[in-house]
């Protein structure tokens, strides 16, 4: 398949690299590029996608950053792991790279929110956060998705910051947050009980640090949680 490239606009080139990135992710997920096998050279990928080598190289750099491929000096790029193909069906077509970038954005934003929540929470916030955490636990016991409950916990932490901008941002980007929570929760249901429990354990560590008013610990625990969620998107089953 050949795509048209906007050779003038940097934005167009970046967008085109996102398309190539998503195509390669799909080919890895479908087994067209097997794990531990070498990807075609940049020149061939560029020819196959009708793109320039710099655009292909940018897509490969994102694949490496996401842990899907690894470079071996003098040998090329090799597939490191195969994601669950159902993940691509949960993400709007053409937006996988944006979803991943939103996780990067969330890592900083929500880590700061957790730090502020640890500093500023009030009794009503503690009740709200505790209720949200228990709701997720109940979903786990019932084998339910729990995406809305997961989002409610993060919303409650944002409210505990006492800063209206954290709350407003979550409203503005609500659809983006929803996609991330839905995808990661849906994929988690396919994991082992131990893997499912580890996600809830991450939540518990965050909440414990917040209630203990341990600002640095809350910040770091939330950042780990978001980056782990981002990585879990590409873990196979």
């Amino acid at each position: 398949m050949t795509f048209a490239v906007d050779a003038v606009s940097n934005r167009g080139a970046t967008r085109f690299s996102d398309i190539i990135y998503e195509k390669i992710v799909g080919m890895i997920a479908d087994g067209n590029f097997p794990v531990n096998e070498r990807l075609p050279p940049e020149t061939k990928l560029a020819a196959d996608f009708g793109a320039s080598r710099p655009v292909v190289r940018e897509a490969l750099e994102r694949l490496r950053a996401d842990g899907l491929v690894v470079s071996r000096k003098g040998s090329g790029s090799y597939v490191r792991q195969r994601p669950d193909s159902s993940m691509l069906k949960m993400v709007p077509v053409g937006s996988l790279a944006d979803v991943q970038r939103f996780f990067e954005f969330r890592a900083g934003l929500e880590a700061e929110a957790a730090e502020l929540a640890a500093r500023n929470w009030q009794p009503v916030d503690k009740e709200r956060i505790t209720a949200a955490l228990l709701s997720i636990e109940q979903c786990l016991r019932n084998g339910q998705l729990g995406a809305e409950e997961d989002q409610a916990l993060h919303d409650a932490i944002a409210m505990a910051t006492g800063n209206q901008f954290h709350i407003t941002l979550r409203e503005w980007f609500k659809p983006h947050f929803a996609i991330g929570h839905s995808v990661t929760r849906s994929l988690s249901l396919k994991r082992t009980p131990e893997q499912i429990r580890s996600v809830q354990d991450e939540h518990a560590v965050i909440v414990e640090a917040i209630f203990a008013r341990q600002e640095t610990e809350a910040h770091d625990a939330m950042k780990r949680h978001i980056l782990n969620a981002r990585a879990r998107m590409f873990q196979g089953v």
Side-chain angles (χ1 to χ4, degrees), residues 7 12 19 22 38 47 51-52 96 98 116 127 129 149 151 154 158-159 167 193 212-213 223 234:
I19 294 172
E22 188 162 324
R38 185 167 68 91
S52 66
L96 180 59
D98 287 339
L116 279 175
E127 292 176 8
I129 290 171
E149 289 77 7
Q151 191 163 342
H154 289 261
M159 285 186 273
I167 301 167
R213 299 203 184 277
K223 187 168 186 177
F234 286 141

Side-chain angles (χ1 to χ4, degrees), residues 102-118 150-161 165-167 169-170 173-174 176-178 180-181 184 203 206-207 210 215-227 229-230:
F102 193 67
F103 271 107
E104 294 171 358
F105 169 71
R106 284 183 60 190
L109 176 71
E110 297 201 55
E112 291 296 327
E115 181 175 338
L116 279 175
D150 194 338
Q151 191 163 342
L153 173 62
H154 289 261
D155 287 344
I157 291 172
M159 285 186 273
T161 66
F165 291 105
H166 275 284
I167 301 167
L169 273 174
R170 291 195 67 85
F173 293 109
K174 190 172 183 177
H176 297 76
F177 283 110
H181 286 291
T184 53
H203 285 146
I206 295 165
V207 170
I210 289 173
E215 298 175 25
T216 300
E217 289 80 357
H219 176 284
D220 293 348
M222 179 64 84
K223 187 168 186 177
R224 281 195 306 272
H225 172 60
I226 300 299
L227 293 178
R230 177 179 180 270

Side-chain angles (χ1 to χ4, degrees), residues 25-57:
V25 171
M27 295 174 81
I28 294 173
D30 291 340
N32 292 312
F33 294 148
V35 175
N36 296 325
E37 293 294 319
R38 185 167 68 91
L39 289 177
E42 286 183 8
T43 51
K44 186 173 189 315
L45 288 173
D48 289 345
F49 290 113
S52 66
R53 288 185 66 182
V55 170
V56 170
R57 193 172 298 123

